[in-house]
Amino acid sequence: MTPATPAKFKPYTRQTITHARQWEWLTPDLQEAVQVVSHVLPFRTNEYVLDQLIDWNNIPDDPIYRLVFPHRDMLAPRDYAQLRELVLGNANPEALAALVRKLRLQMNPHPAGQMTHNVPHLDGVPLRGLQHKYKETVLFFPSAGQTCHAYCTFCFRWPQFVGMDDLKFDARESTELAAYLKTQPQVTDVLITGGDPLVMNTRSLEAFIEPLLAPELAHIQNIRIGTKSVAYWPQRFVSDRDADDLLRLFERVVAAGKNMAIMGHYNHAVELRQEVAQQAVKRIVNTGATLRMQGPLIRHINEDPKSWAELWQTGVRLGAIPYYMFVERDTGPHDYFQLPLVRAHEIFQAAYQMVSGLARTVRGPSMSAFPGKVVIDGVVTIGGEKVFALQFLQARNPDWVRRPFYARFDPHATWLDDLKPAFGHDKFFFEEDGGSRSEQGHTPSDRKVIQLVPAGSRLSSNCGADTADTASAPSAA
């Protein structure tokens, strides 16, 4: 019996999607939306996603279709109409490019201070391929890993993929990373991210990882890789030409005494129902690496608690660790995907109640906001006032971590900036007086100023606990 030929990766973009057999199954309106909106938001999918993950009898409501295909409602009606006129009218390329850039810049391309506050310096020079927001964790963006096997329409790193080079993080070699880490003995974790580093071949990835195993970087305990390949192209771990080499690389990291952590991005249970996806999980964990499951809660895609429960339960059965449910970030087509925070908590709670303790390693719903990761612990009534109970799981200032604080209940709030302190306070404990702005400085004036204070400073307790909880939280990217 002749063994089956391994599947070959076949991507599709705006320029080539018309060659996919499924293109003819879309209505003209859906085809138009893909061609128009993909000038602003990145579009890339692949044959595996089209053939195995999308239910073409449920278009356009299939969750994976909404996850990878652009929709007209992702743009405001006026913006869509203006863009459509230029795209379909074969307008002047300069006019089209100008409108596209204008629309992109309106979408908060770098939320949470990624470019303004997270870029570290070495000898006074900014390291544009790194981010260092939390003291224990450095993010590294190898230039060869700044694409993905398929793009998610909600992705908060979408500027990496659309040619906005002035807003792009990428590093062409690892020498700056190693040099910077030698000056940062408090750093224990390096997250190699993108894009998706696993679009690189194993030899290229090895060139970035091997320097992290050097004796002078013994303080680096955990090497993480953020990847969606576990869902969009699990063959990367199973049947790709260098899949076995990749697993041997994981084994070498583990043998060096470090934790090799694969931060697997999953958005729906269907992504882990496929046999090849389950085989990928088993092969990863059999190397001694850990696979942690994380993903955002997104309207139109994964609002069903049963899907989350199935995803976590399947992952645990295969040896993976449920890690985070995130709140969709305030970037890109945020209005299309956002959910009220109260609804996010209800979905998380319902899913959490369906699983055993082994899957309750998951945390959420968590907002990766400018000051840190803020989790919604619940909705409670204290002293007659209905409030959100919140806390930092990770923060720019370590003293903020695990300090409970409270916000007035707002059924319409979708992000930290929408919340107001409870109990009559005019600021949260981590805020100082100042003007109103976002970290980009160009959003509505009712956005708060969130200024940083040095670690170890004693903060007054406005709408927060009087003393810091000493419980620690693992760092997360």
Side-chain angles (χ1 to χ4, degrees), residues 8 11 34 63 77 130 223 229 231 241 265 362-363 409:
K8 291 186 177 181
V34 174
L130 279 68
I223 299 174
S229 61
R241 183 171 56 183
H265 294 249
V362 67
R363 299 177 292 182
F409 178 77

Side-chain angles (χ1 to χ4, degrees), residues 72-372:
R72 67 180 300 156
D73 292 341
M74 293 177 183
L75 298 179
R78 181 177 178 179
D79 292 338
Y80 182 88
Q82 189 177 5
L83 182 64
R84 178 184 184 276
E85 182 178 351
L86 294 180
V87 170
L88 301 185
N90 295 315
N92 179 287
E94 288 76 14
L96 177 59
L99 177 61
V100 166
R101 183 168 178 85
K102 174 186 173 184
L103 296 179
R104 287 172 176 168
L105 291 176
Q106 290 174 355
M107 291 184 168
N108 190 18
H110 272 297
Q114 291 184 99
M115 299 204 79
T116 58
H117 291 74
N118 295 359
V119 177
H121 291 68
L122 182 63
D123 298 327
V125 178
L127 305 178
R128 290 293 299 273
L130 279 68
Q131 289 185 34
H132 193 181
K133 179 175 180 179
Y134 307 127
K135 70 180 182 69
E136 305 93 346
T137 306
V138 167
L139 278 62
F140 179 64
F141 296 77
S143 59
Q146 299 314 304
T147 186
C148 295
H149 293 97
Y151 295 147
C152 299
T153 45
F154 68 83
C155 183
F156 79 96
R157 294 245 175 89
W158 59 270
Q160 297 288 102
F161 317 132
V162 295
M164 301 177 75
D165 290 344
D166 55 330
L167 297 178
K168 187 175 181 179
F169 288 93
D170 65 349
R172 303 197 179 279
E173 55 185 34
S174 61
T175 53
E176 286 186 342
L177 172 64
Y180 179 71
L181 292 175
K182 289 175 184 177
T183 70
Q184 304 292 316
Q186 81 283 4
V187 172
T188 58
D189 292 42
V190 173
L191 170 58
I192 305 172
T193 186
D196 192 328
L198 292 183
V199 300
M200 294 189 289
N201 61 41
T202 299
R203 186 167 61 180
S204 297
L205 180 63
E206 183 179 40
F208 292 110
I209 290 181
E210 285 287 354
L212 302 179
L213 307 182
E216 58 266 31
L217 293 180
H219 57 288
I220 304 301
Q221 302 172 15
N222 306 298
I223 299 174
R224 314 186 201 180
I225 299 176
T227 182
K228 182 69 179 174
S229 61
V230 288
Y232 280 167
W233 187 245
Q235 292 86 344
R236 183 68 188 91
F237 308 92
V238 177
S239 58
D240 271 7
R241 183 171 56 183
D242 63 346
D244 289 344
D245 295 334
L246 179 64
L247 300 180
R248 301 294 84 77
L249 175 60
F250 294 171
E251 289 176 347
R252 289 205 301 278
V253 173
V254 174
K258 300 183 187 293
N259 174 33
M260 181 78 249
I262 307 303
M263 317 306 289
H265 294 249
Y266 294 94
N267 298 108
H268 195 277
V270 69
E271 296 171 327
L272 202 46
R273 290 174 190 158
Q274 315 308 311
E275 181 179 352
V276 66
Q278 296 193 12
Q279 189 177 359
V281 175
K282 292 178 181 178
R283 283 172 64 85
I284 291 169
V285 299
N286 283 343
T287 67
T290 58
L291 171 59
R292 296 182 184 268
M293 309 170 69
Q294 59 187 29
L297 175 61
I298 317 162
R299 186 161 63 101
H300 304 298
I301 293 174
N302 54 18
E303 300 169 75
D304 184 359
K306 293 179 181 178
S307 174
W308 284 98
E310 178 190 339
L311 177 64
W312 297 336
Q313 289 170 326
T314 304
V316 167
R317 176 172 58 81
L318 297 170
I321 305 167
Y323 190 44
Y324 267 114
M325 175 196 281
F326 291 113
V327 175
E328 166 59 2
R329 298 180 81 156
D330 54 339
T331 183
H334 181 240
D335 291 343
Y336 182 83
F337 290 121
Q338 67 186 0
L339 281 166
L341 296 179
V342 64
R343 178 64 182 142
H345 179 262
E346 291 169 353
I347 294 169
F348 178 84
Q349 184 178 41
Y352 198 82
Q353 291 172 346
M354 295 178 190
V355 300
S356 74
L358 291 178
R360 290 183 179 176
T361 51
V362 67
R363 299 177 292 182
S366 174
M367 295 176 279
S368 293
F370 180 61

Side-chain angles (χ1 to χ4, degrees), residues 11-20 23 34-35 38-39 43-44:
Y12 292 100
T13 64
R14 181 178 73 244
Q15 290 77 17
T16 60
I17 187 60
T18 56
H19 301 157
W23 181 252
V34 174
Q35 294 294 343
S38 62
H39 278 78
F43 171 61
R44 175 181 167 98

Side-chain angles (χ1 to χ4, degrees), residues 391-412:
Q391 66 170 302
F392 283 103
L393 295 178
Q394 184 61 285
R396 291 183 184 274
N397 183 339
D399 288 348
W400 300 346
V401 174
R402 291 292 189 182
R403 291 187 64 177
F405 62 103
Y406 303 92
R408 294 183 217 165
F409 178 77
D410 181 346
H412 306 295

